[in-house]
Amino acid sequence: MNGFYFLLSLMILDYCVADNEYYTYEKIDSTLHAWQDTFGYTPHPSNDYPGFGVIYNLDTIGYSSQDNLPIFAVKLSAHADQREVEPKVLILGQCHAEEIYGVEIAMEIIKQFLYPDLYQDNKILLQKGLYYTELWIVPTYNPEGLRVVHGYIEDRNEIKDVTYRKNKRDTNNNNLFDYVVGIGRDLDGVDLNRNYDFNWFFGDTLFQPCDPVVSDCSYDDDYDYYKGEYPESESEIHAIKRLANEQKFLL
């Protein structure tokens, strides 16, 4: 029953885009560290969490394959600075770069737990979520792709493609980031969701075009589903698999 209440709390959490701006990788970084400074060292000050201790802990669980960008995970619990015997839940906000909605939801979930006074309609559910479970949230484990989607400057050139999907693995080994603005046709990058060892063989090989026998090729997403040189070739996948093996998530 407690698990049901927790799931219910996630389903009914109000969603909003923070400050009417999307979370870039840089904004995720700065926001998570600011929350660590405020909530990561002392018991939560809210009267809505009576008897709770430190509820927030920020960890770096790995680094991206090409640009070595930190991958962050947030642990939320009534006593996040302790190891407790309770069900553990993992939320991965984003894997595919262009799917930024999951980042927004992940960050909003964290925010609601940290600021319960702003969400009084959810107070009981937030209390139960922290008291009965240990919640881990990874807003993105594709920081390279997220930066491409929102755009950034590299060597005085703007790198931006709102349809980009993969990480930035230099698959053709020319020391350049080879991408095409628009859907598909990006020479570099690995589809992280297809890089796990589980069902790895279902992913595409390098530079594999759409097959009209099995797909609707009117959506020009050639090369978008490249599975990588071998299973778990990407450090992003190592980070998630290591976290899952360490924490033994129930959900």
Side-chain angles (χ1 to χ4, degrees):
M1 184 60 68
N2 294 332
F4 167 78
Y5 279 126
F6 180 71
L7 287 175
L8 183 62
S9 74
L10 293 183
M11 286 189 290
I12 69 172
L13 283 174
D14 294 329
Y15 167 75
C16 68
V17 177
D19 302 324
N20 296 317
E21 294 180 0
Y22 291 105
Y23 278 99
T24 64
Y25 174 71
E26 290 73 19
K27 187 176 179 181
I28 292 172
D29 186 341
S30 62
T31 301
L32 294 182
H33 280 91
W35 285 341
Q36 176 69 16
D37 291 340
T38 303
F39 301 105
Y41 302 105
T42 56
H44 196 282
S46 174
N47 292 328
D48 292 324
Y49 293 148
F52 288 22
V54 175
I55 72 165
Y56 178 99
N57 185 68
L58 177 64
D59 193 12
T60 298
I61 61 171
Y63 296 85
S64 68
S65 295
Q66 192 70 30
D67 292 341
N68 205 41
L69 300 174
I71 299 170
F72 302 114
V74 170
K75 175 184 175 183
L76 297 170
S77 186
H79 301 282
D81 55 342
Q82 303 174 22
R83 292 186 65 90
E84 298 182 296
V85 180
E86 55 189 10
K88 297 183 180 184
V89 177
L90 173 64
I91 293 178
L92 301 176
Q94 183 202 46
C95 169
H96 295 137
E98 82 277 28
E99 298 169 2
I100 62 174
Y101 198 62
V103 174
E104 304 301 319
I105 294 173
M107 294 296 288
E108 177 67 12
I109 290 173
I110 299 171
K111 180 182 176 183
Q112 291 209 15
F113 279 108
L114 296 180
Y115 297 95
D117 53 312
L118 301 179
Y119 307 95
Q120 286 298 303
D121 290 343
N122 291 335
K123 181 176 71 172
I124 300 300
L125 298 171
L126 294 170
Q127 290 172 337
K128 286 180 178 290
L130 289 180
Y131 187 80
Y132 289 111
T133 62
E134 186 175 295
L135 176 62
W136 288 76
I137 300 176
V138 180
T140 179
Y141 65 100
N142 187 2
E144 294 175 355
L146 183 62
R147 292 184 79 212
V148 173
V149 168
H150 287 296
Y152 68 101
I153 302 299
E154 184 175 84
D155 296 330
R156 299 185 180 181
N157 296 315
E158 183 183 36
I159 305 294
K160 185 174 184 179
D161 180 4
V162 299
T163 69
Y164 196 71
R165 178 183 182 87
K166 302 176 286 184
N167 68 1
K168 285 179 56 184
R169 167 70 69 186
D170 184 13
T171 59
N172 56 6
N173 298 311
N174 66 352
N175 296 316
L176 299 173
F177 176 44
D178 297 301
Y179 74 105
V180 176
V181 175
I183 298 169
R185 311 298 295 181
D186 304 303
L187 297 181
D188 282 338
V190 172
D191 183 338
L192 296 178
N193 196 45
R194 285 159 173 77
N195 190 240
Y196 291 98
D197 60 352
F198 181 74
N199 284 336
W200 178 79
F201 59 90
F202 281 128
D204 287 353
T205 56
L206 185 61
F207 307 146
Q208 179 178 329
C210 178
D211 184 352
V213 175
V214 297
S215 301
D216 176 12
C217 292
S218 61
Y219 187 75
D220 189 15
D221 54 357
D222 290 351
Y223 316 157
D224 265 356
Y225 309 104
Y226 175 50
K227 60 186 177 182
E229 186 177 359
Y230 52 86
E232 298 178 7
S233 61
E234 306 308 293
S235 60
E236 295 91 342
I237 300 307
H238 282 271
I240 299 304
K241 185 173 181 179
R242 183 167 54 248
L243 179 66
N245 285 337
E246 290 173 354
Q247 301 302 327
K248 312 273 188 231
F249 294 106
L250 178 66
L251 179 65

Short mmCIF file of all heavy atoms in Angstrom, two decimals, residues 163-213:
data_model
loop_
_atom_site.label_atom_id
_atom_site.label_comp_id
_atom_site.label_asym_id
_atom_site.label_seq_id
_atom_site.Cartn_x
_atom_site.Cartn_y
_atom_site.Cartn_z
N THR A 163 16.77 18.44 -32.78
CA THR A 163 16.31 17.08 -33.05
C THR A 163 17.36 16.03 -32.72
O THR A 163 17.15 14.84 -32.98
CB THR A 163 15.91 16.91 -34.53
OG1 THR A 163 17.10 16.97 -35.35
CG2 THR A 163 14.95 18.00 -34.97
N TYR A 164 18.49 16.43 -32.13
CA TYR A 164 19.58 15.49 -31.90
C TYR A 164 19.16 14.45 -30.86
O TYR A 164 18.43 14.76 -29.91
CB TYR A 164 20.84 16.22 -31.44
CG TYR A 164 22.07 15.35 -31.55
CD1 TYR A 164 22.60 15.02 -32.78
CD2 TYR A 164 22.67 14.83 -30.41
CE1 TYR A 164 23.72 14.19 -32.89
CE2 TYR A 164 23.79 14.01 -30.50
CZ TYR A 164 24.30 13.69 -31.75
OH TYR A 164 25.39 12.86 -31.85
N ARG A 165 19.68 13.21 -31.00
CA ARG A 165 19.21 12.08 -30.20
C ARG A 165 20.30 11.41 -29.36
O ARG A 165 20.06 11.00 -28.23
CB ARG A 165 18.60 11.03 -31.14
CG ARG A 165 18.10 9.75 -30.48
CD ARG A 165 17.59 8.80 -31.55
NE ARG A 165 17.06 7.56 -30.99
CZ ARG A 165 15.82 7.39 -30.58
NH1 ARG A 165 14.96 8.39 -30.62
NH2 ARG A 165 15.41 6.23 -30.10
N LYS A 166 21.50 11.30 -29.90
CA LYS A 166 22.54 10.42 -29.34
C LYS A 166 23.51 11.18 -28.45
O LYS A 166 23.33 12.36 -28.17
CB LYS A 166 23.29 9.76 -30.51
CG LYS A 166 22.38 8.96 -31.43
CD LYS A 166 23.12 8.40 -32.64
CE LYS A 166 23.44 9.47 -33.67
NZ LYS A 166 24.08 8.90 -34.89
N ASN A 167 24.56 10.48 -27.97
CA ASN A 167 25.66 11.19 -27.34
C ASN A 167 26.59 11.70 -28.45
O ASN A 167 26.21 11.71 -29.63
CB ASN A 167 26.39 10.32 -26.31
CG ASN A 167 27.15 9.15 -26.94
OD1 ASN A 167 27.17 8.95 -28.15
ND2 ASN A 167 27.78 8.34 -26.10
N LYS A 168 27.80 12.10 -28.13
CA LYS A 168 28.68 12.69 -29.15
C LYS A 168 29.87 11.79 -29.49
O LYS A 168 30.89 12.28 -29.97
CB LYS A 168 29.20 14.04 -28.67
CG LYS A 168 28.18 15.18 -28.72
CD LYS A 168 28.79 16.48 -28.21
CE LYS A 168 30.04 16.87 -28.96
NZ LYS A 168 30.69 18.08 -28.42
N ARG A 169 29.76 10.51 -29.30
CA ARG A 169 30.84 9.59 -29.61
C ARG A 169 31.38 9.84 -31.03
O ARG A 169 30.63 9.93 -31.99
CB ARG A 169 30.36 8.15 -29.49
CG ARG A 169 31.30 7.10 -30.08
CD ARG A 169 32.56 6.95 -29.28
NE ARG A 169 32.30 6.35 -27.97
CZ ARG A 169 33.22 6.22 -27.03
NH1 ARG A 169 34.46 6.68 -27.24
NH2 ARG A 169 32.92 5.67 -25.85
N ASP A 170 32.70 10.00 -31.15
CA ASP A 170 33.34 10.25 -32.45
C ASP A 170 33.46 8.91 -33.20
O ASP A 170 34.50 8.28 -33.21
CB ASP A 170 34.72 10.88 -32.23
CG ASP A 170 35.41 11.25 -33.52
OD1 ASP A 170 34.75 11.26 -34.58
OD2 ASP A 170 36.63 11.53 -33.48
N THR A 171 32.39 8.50 -33.84
CA THR A 171 32.33 7.16 -34.42
C THR A 171 33.23 7.00 -35.66
O THR A 171 33.63 5.88 -35.98
CB THR A 171 30.89 6.80 -34.81
OG1 THR A 171 30.40 7.75 -35.76
CG2 THR A 171 30.00 6.77 -33.58
N ASN A 172 33.53 8.09 -36.34
CA ASN A 172 34.41 7.98 -37.52
C ASN A 172 35.84 8.43 -37.22
O ASN A 172 36.67 8.52 -38.14
CB ASN A 172 33.84 8.75 -38.71
CG ASN A 172 33.58 10.21 -38.39
OD1 ASN A 172 33.93 10.69 -37.32
ND2 ASN A 172 32.96 10.91 -39.33
N ASN A 173 36.12 8.74 -35.96
CA ASN A 173 37.50 8.98 -35.49
C ASN A 173 38.23 10.07 -36.28
O ASN A 173 39.41 9.94 -36.60
CB ASN A 173 38.31 7.68 -35.54
CG ASN A 173 37.76 6.60 -34.63
OD1 ASN A 173 37.48 6.84 -33.47
ND2 ASN A 173 37.57 5.41 -35.20
N ASN A 174 37.51 11.16 -36.56
CA ASN A 174 38.17 12.27 -37.26
C ASN A 174 38.37 13.49 -36.36
O ASN A 174 38.72 14.57 -36.82
CB ASN A 174 37.38 12.66 -38.51
CG ASN A 174 36.01 13.24 -38.19
OD1 ASN A 174 35.57 13.22 -37.03
ND2 ASN A 174 35.32 13.74 -39.20
N ASN A 175 38.09 13.32 -35.05
CA ASN A 175 38.27 14.39 -34.04
C ASN A 175 37.37 15.58 -34.29
O ASN A 175 37.66 16.69 -33.84
CB ASN A 175 39.73 14.84 -33.99
CG ASN A 175 40.66 13.75 -33.52
OD1 ASN A 175 40.37 13.04 -32.56
ND2 ASN A 175 41.79 13.58 -34.21
N LEU A 176 36.27 15.36 -35.00
CA LEU A 176 35.26 16.39 -35.23
C LEU A 176 33.90 15.84 -34.81
O LEU A 176 33.68 14.62 -34.84
CB LEU A 176 35.21 16.80 -36.70
CG LEU A 176 36.48 17.41 -37.30
CD1 LEU A 176 36.31 17.60 -38.81
CD2 LEU A 176 36.81 18.75 -36.63
N PHE A 177 32.99 16.74 -34.43
CA PHE A 177 31.62 16.33 -34.14
C PHE A 177 30.82 16.47 -35.43
O PHE A 177 30.49 17.57 -35.85
CB PHE A 177 31.03 17.17 -33.02
CG PHE A 177 29.58 16.85 -32.74
CD1 PHE A 177 29.14 15.53 -32.67
CD2 PHE A 177 28.66 17.86 -32.54
CE1 PHE A 177 27.82 15.23 -32.42
CE2 PHE A 177 27.33 17.58 -32.28
CZ PHE A 177 26.90 16.26 -32.22
N ASP A 178 30.53 15.36 -36.07
CA ASP A 178 29.84 15.35 -37.36
C ASP A 178 28.35 15.13 -37.16
O ASP A 178 27.91 14.01 -36.81
CB ASP A 178 30.42 14.25 -38.25
CG ASP A 178 31.88 14.48 -38.57
OD1 ASP A 178 32.18 15.53 -39.16
OD2 ASP A 178 32.71 13.61 -38.22
N TYR A 179 27.58 16.18 -37.34
CA TYR A 179 26.13 16.09 -37.21
C TYR A 179 25.47 16.94 -38.29
O TYR A 179 26.10 17.82 -38.89
CB TYR A 179 25.68 16.56 -35.83
CG TYR A 179 25.72 18.05 -35.62
CD1 TYR A 179 24.55 18.82 -35.61
CD2 TYR A 179 26.93 18.72 -35.43
CE1 TYR A 179 24.59 20.19 -35.41
CE2 TYR A 179 26.97 20.08 -35.23
CZ TYR A 179 25.81 20.82 -35.23
OH TYR A 179 25.85 22.18 -35.04
N VAL A 180 24.22 16.66 -38.57
CA VAL A 180 23.44 17.40 -39.56
C VAL A 180 22.23 17.98 -38.85
O VAL A 180 21.50 17.26 -38.15
CB VAL A 180 22.98 16.48 -40.71
CG1 VAL A 180 22.10 17.23 -41.69
CG2 VAL A 180 24.19 15.89 -41.44
N VAL A 181 21.99 19.27 -39.00
CA VAL A 181 20.83 19.89 -38.37
C VAL A 181 19.56 19.30 -38.99
O VAL A 181 19.41 19.28 -40.21
CB VAL A 181 20.86 21.42 -38.55
CG1 VAL A 181 19.58 22.04 -38.00
CG2 VAL A 181 22.08 22.00 -37.86
N GLY A 182 18.68 18.81 -38.14
CA GLY A 182 17.47 18.16 -38.61
C GLY A 182 17.48 16.69 -38.21
O GLY A 182 18.46 16.17 -37.68
N ILE A 183 16.40 16.02 -38.47
CA ILE A 183 16.21 14.64 -38.03
C ILE A 183 17.18 13.71 -38.76
O ILE A 183 17.28 13.72 -39.99
CB ILE A 183 14.76 14.19 -38.29
CG1 ILE A 183 13.80 15.07 -37.48
CG2 ILE A 183 14.57 12.72 -37.94
CD1 ILE A 183 12.35 14.87 -37.86
N GLY A 184 17.90 12.88 -38.00
CA GLY A 184 18.73 11.84 -38.57
C GLY A 184 19.96 12.33 -39.30
O GLY A 184 20.32 13.51 -39.27
N ARG A 185 20.68 11.36 -39.91
CA ARG A 185 21.85 11.59 -40.75
C ARG A 185 23.08 12.06 -39.97
O ARG A 185 24.06 12.51 -40.57
CB ARG A 185 21.55 12.58 -41.89
CG ARG A 185 20.29 12.32 -42.68
CD ARG A 185 20.32 10.99 -43.38
NE ARG A 185 21.36 10.94 -44.41
CZ ARG A 185 21.58 9.88 -45.20
NH1 ARG A 185 20.85 8.79 -45.06
NH2 ARG A 185 22.54 9.91 -46.10
N ASP A 186 23.05 11.96 -38.65
CA ASP A 186 24.20 12.38 -37.84
C ASP A 186 25.23 11.24 -37.82
O ASP A 186 24.95 10.15 -37.33
CB ASP A 186 23.76 12.71 -36.42
CG ASP A 186 22.68 13.78 -36.39
OD1 ASP A 186 22.93 14.87 -36.93
OD2 ASP A 186 21.59 13.50 -35.84
N LEU A 187 26.43 11.51 -38.34
CA LEU A 187 27.45 10.47 -38.43
C LEU A 187 27.97 10.05 -37.07
O LEU A 187 28.28 8.88 -36.84
CB LEU A 187 28.61 10.95 -39.30
CG LEU A 187 28.29 11.26 -40.77
CD1 LEU A 187 29.55 11.69 -41.50
CD2 LEU A 187 27.67 10.05 -41.46
N ASP A 188 28.10 10.98 -36.16
CA ASP A 188 28.63 10.67 -34.83
C ASP A 188 27.50 10.34 -33.85
O ASP A 188 26.33 10.65 -34.09
CB ASP A 188 29.44 11.85 -34.30
CG ASP A 188 30.84 11.91 -34.92
OD1 ASP A 188 31.30 10.87 -35.40
OD2 ASP A 188 31.43 13.00 -34.93
N GLY A 189 27.89 9.74 -32.75
CA GLY A 189 26.95 9.49 -31.66
C GLY A 189 26.44 8.06 -31.60
O GLY A 189 26.35 7.36 -32.61
N VAL A 190 26.12 7.64 -30.36
CA VAL A 190 25.55 6.33 -30.08
C VAL A 190 24.20 6.53 -29.39
O VAL A 190 24.07 7.39 -28.51
CB VAL A 190 26.48 5.50 -29.17
CG1 VAL A 190 25.80 4.22 -28.71
CG2 VAL A 190 27.78 5.19 -29.89
N ASP A 191 23.19 5.75 -29.80
CA ASP A 191 21.90 5.76 -29.13
C ASP A 191 22.07 5.01 -27.81
O ASP A 191 22.19 3.78 -27.78
CB ASP A 191 20.86 5.07 -30.01
CG ASP A 191 19.46 5.09 -29.39
OD1 ASP A 191 19.34 5.24 -28.16
OD2 ASP A 191 18.48 4.96 -30.15
N LEU A 192 22.09 5.73 -26.69
CA LEU A 192 22.41 5.13 -25.40
C LEU A 192 21.41 4.05 -25.00
O LEU A 192 21.78 3.05 -24.37
CB LEU A 192 22.48 6.21 -24.33
CG LEU A 192 23.60 7.25 -24.52
CD1 LEU A 192 23.53 8.30 -23.43
CD2 LEU A 192 24.97 6.58 -24.54
N ASN A 193 20.16 4.21 -25.36
CA ASN A 193 19.15 3.23 -24.97
C ASN A 193 19.37 1.89 -25.67
O ASN A 193 18.88 0.86 -25.20
CB ASN A 193 17.75 3.75 -25.28
CG ASN A 193 16.67 2.96 -24.56
OD1 ASN A 193 16.80 2.65 -23.38
ND2 ASN A 193 15.61 2.61 -25.28
N ARG A 194 20.10 1.89 -26.77
CA ARG A 194 20.39 0.66 -27.50
C ARG A 194 21.80 0.13 -27.22
O ARG A 194 22.24 -0.81 -27.87
CB ARG A 194 20.18 0.90 -29.00
CG ARG A 194 18.70 0.95 -29.35
CD ARG A 194 18.43 1.66 -30.67
NE ARG A 194 17.02 1.54 -31.03
CZ ARG A 194 16.03 2.26 -30.49
NH1 ARG A 194 16.31 3.14 -29.54
NH2 ARG A 194 14.78 2.09 -30.88
N ASN A 195 22.48 0.73 -26.27
CA ASN A 195 23.84 0.32 -25.95
C ASN A 195 23.92 -0.63 -24.76
O ASN A 195 24.97 -1.19 -24.48
CB ASN A 195 24.71 1.56 -25.69
CG ASN A 195 26.19 1.25 -25.58
OD1 ASN A 195 26.82 1.50 -24.56
ND2 ASN A 195 26.76 0.69 -26.64
N TYR A 196 22.81 -0.84 -24.06
CA TYR A 196 22.80 -1.83 -22.98
C TYR A 196 23.05 -3.23 -23.55
O TYR A 196 22.73 -3.51 -24.71
CB TYR A 196 21.45 -1.81 -22.27
CG TYR A 196 21.18 -0.57 -21.46
CD1 TYR A 196 20.40 0.47 -21.97
CD2 TYR A 196 21.69 -0.43 -20.17
CE1 TYR A 196 20.15 1.61 -21.23
CE2 TYR A 196 21.44 0.70 -19.42
CZ TYR A 196 20.66 1.72 -19.95
OH TYR A 196 20.41 2.85 -19.22
N ASP A 197 23.60 -4.10 -22.72
CA ASP A 197 23.84 -5.47 -23.20
C ASP A 197 22.54 -6.23 -23.41
O ASP A 197 22.49 -7.19 -24.17
CB ASP A 197 24.77 -6.23 -22.25
CG ASP A 197 24.22 -6.35 -20.83
OD1 ASP A 197 23.19 -5.72 -20.54
OD2 ASP A 197 24.84 -7.07 -20.03
N PHE A 198 21.47 -5.79 -22.74
CA PHE A 198 20.17 -6.44 -22.91
C PHE A 198 19.57 -6.06 -24.26
O PHE A 198 19.33 -4.89 -24.53
CB PHE A 198 19.23 -6.02 -21.78
CG PHE A 198 17.87 -6.65 -21.85
CD1 PHE A 198 17.69 -7.98 -21.51
CD2 PHE A 198 16.78 -5.92 -22.26
CE1 PHE A 198 16.44 -8.57 -21.57
CE2 PHE A 198 15.51 -6.49 -22.33
CZ PHE A 198 15.35 -7.82 -21.98
N ASN A 199 19.39 -7.06 -25.13
CA ASN A 199 18.83 -6.84 -26.48
C ASN A 199 19.68 -5.91 -27.34
O ASN A 199 19.17 -5.24 -28.24
CB ASN A 199 17.39 -6.29 -26.40
CG ASN A 199 16.39 -7.37 -26.04
OD1 ASN A 199 16.62 -8.55 -26.26
ND2 ASN A 199 15.27 -6.97 -25.48
N TRP A 200 20.99 -5.88 -27.09
CA TRP A 200 21.88 -5.02 -27.86
C TRP A 200 21.78 -5.30 -29.35
O TRP A 200 21.87 -4.39 -30.18
CB TRP A 200 23.32 -5.23 -27.38
CG TRP A 200 24.35 -4.43 -28.11
CD1 TRP A 200 24.64 -3.11 -27.93
CD2 TRP A 200 25.23 -4.89 -29.14
NE1 TRP A 200 25.64 -2.71 -28.78
CE2 TRP A 200 26.03 -3.79 -29.53
CE3 TRP A 200 25.42 -6.12 -29.76
CZ2 TRP A 200 26.99 -3.88 -30.53
CZ3 TRP A 200 26.39 -6.23 -30.74
CH2 TRP A 200 27.17 -5.12 -31.12
N PHE A 201 21.56 -6.55 -29.71
CA PHE A 201 21.55 -6.95 -31.13
C PHE A 201 20.39 -6.33 -31.90
O PHE A 201 20.40 -6.33 -33.14
CB PHE A 201 21.51 -8.47 -31.26
CG PHE A 201 20.31 -9.12 -30.61
CD1 PHE A 201 19.15 -9.31 -31.32
CD2 PHE A 201 20.36 -9.53 -29.28
CE1 PHE A 201 18.04 -9.90 -30.73
CE2 PHE A 201 19.27 -10.12 -28.69
CZ PHE A 201 18.10 -10.32 -29.41
N PHE A 202 19.38 -5.78 -31.22
CA PHE A 202 18.27 -5.16 -31.92
C PHE A 202 18.62 -3.77 -32.47
O PHE A 202 17.92 -3.25 -33.33
CB PHE A 202 17.05 -5.03 -31.00
CG PHE A 202 16.28 -6.30 -30.84
CD1 PHE A 202 15.97 -6.80 -29.58
CD2 PHE A 202 15.85 -7.02 -31.95
CE1 PHE A 202 15.26 -7.97 -29.42
CE2 PHE A 202 15.13 -8.20 -31.81
CZ PHE A 202 14.84 -8.67 -30.55
N GLY A 203 19.69 -3.16 -31.96
CA GLY A 203 20.07 -1.84 -32.43
C GLY A 203 20.67 -1.88 -33.83
O GLY A 203 20.97 -2.94 -34.38
N ASP A 204 20.86 -0.69 -34.42
CA ASP A 204 21.42 -0.59 -35.77
C ASP A 204 22.94 -0.63 -35.75
O ASP A 204 23.58 -0.24 -34.76
CB ASP A 204 20.98 0.71 -36.44
CG ASP A 204 19.51 0.69 -36.84
OD1 ASP A 204 18.88 -0.38 -36.72
OD2 ASP A 204 19.00 1.75 -37.27
N THR A 205 23.51 -1.07 -36.85
CA THR A 205 24.95 -0.99 -37.04
C THR A 205 25.31 0.42 -37.48
O THR A 205 24.44 1.26 -37.76
CB THR A 205 25.42 -2.01 -38.08
OG1 THR A 205 24.70 -1.80 -39.31
CG2 THR A 205 25.16 -3.43 -37.59
N LEU A 206 26.61 0.71 -37.56
CA LEU A 206 27.07 2.05 -37.90
C LEU A 206 26.62 2.43 -39.31
O LEU A 206 26.80 1.67 -40.26
CB LEU A 206 28.60 2.11 -37.79
CG LEU A 206 29.24 3.48 -38.00
CD1 LEU A 206 28.76 4.46 -36.94
CD2 LEU A 206 30.77 3.36 -37.95
N PHE A 207 26.02 3.64 -39.43
CA PHE A 207 25.57 4.21 -40.70
C PHE A 207 24.54 3.31 -41.39
O PHE A 207 24.47 3.25 -42.62
CB PHE A 207 26.75 4.47 -41.64
CG PHE A 207 27.84 5.30 -41.03
CD1 PHE A 207 29.16 5.08 -41.37
CD2 PHE A 207 27.56 6.29 -40.10
CE1 PHE A 207 30.18 5.84 -40.82
CE2 PHE A 207 28.56 7.06 -39.53
CZ PHE A 207 29.88 6.82 -39.89
N GLN A 208 23.71 2.63 -40.60
CA GLN A 208 22.65 1.80 -41.17
C GLN A 208 21.45 2.67 -41.51
O GLN A 208 20.88 3.31 -40.64
CB GLN A 208 22.24 0.71 -40.17
CG GLN A 208 21.12 -0.19 -40.67
CD GLN A 208 20.77 -1.27 -39.67
OE1 GLN A 208 21.63 -1.74 -38.92
NE2 GLN A 208 19.51 -1.69 -39.65
N PRO A 209 21.04 2.70 -42.78
CA PRO A 209 19.88 3.51 -43.17
C PRO A 209 18.59 2.82 -42.78
O PRO A 209 18.57 1.65 -42.38
CB PRO A 209 20.02 3.60 -44.68
CG PRO A 209 20.71 2.34 -45.06
CD PRO A 209 21.67 2.03 -43.93
N CYS A 210 17.50 3.55 -42.91
CA CYS A 210 16.18 2.98 -42.61
C CYS A 210 15.88 1.84 -43.58
O CYS A 210 16.18 1.91 -44.78
CB CYS A 210 15.12 4.08 -42.74
SG CYS A 210 13.43 3.49 -42.47
N ASP A 211 15.29 0.78 -43.06
CA ASP A 211 14.89 -0.37 -43.87
C ASP A 211 13.39 -0.29 -44.14
O ASP A 211 12.58 -0.47 -43.23
CB ASP A 211 15.22 -1.67 -43.13
CG ASP A 211 14.92 -2.91 -43.96
OD1 ASP A 211 14.33 -2.76 -45.05
OD2 ASP A 211 15.29 -4.01 -43.52
N PRO A 212 12.98 -0.02 -45.40
CA PRO A 212 11.55 0.14 -45.71
C PRO A 212 10.74 -1.13 -45.49
O PRO A 212 9.51 -1.08 -45.43
CB PRO A 212 11.56 0.56 -47.17
CG PRO A 212 12.86 0.08 -47.72
CD PRO A 212 13.83 0.16 -46.58
N VAL A 213 11.42 -2.27 -45.35
CA VAL A 213 10.71 -3.52 -45.13
C VAL A 213 10.13 -3.57 -43.71
O VAL A 213 9.06 -4.15 -43.48
CB VAL A 213 11.65 -4.73 -45.35
CG1 VAL A 213 10.95 -6.04 -45.00
CG2 VAL A 213 12.14 -4.76 -46.79
#
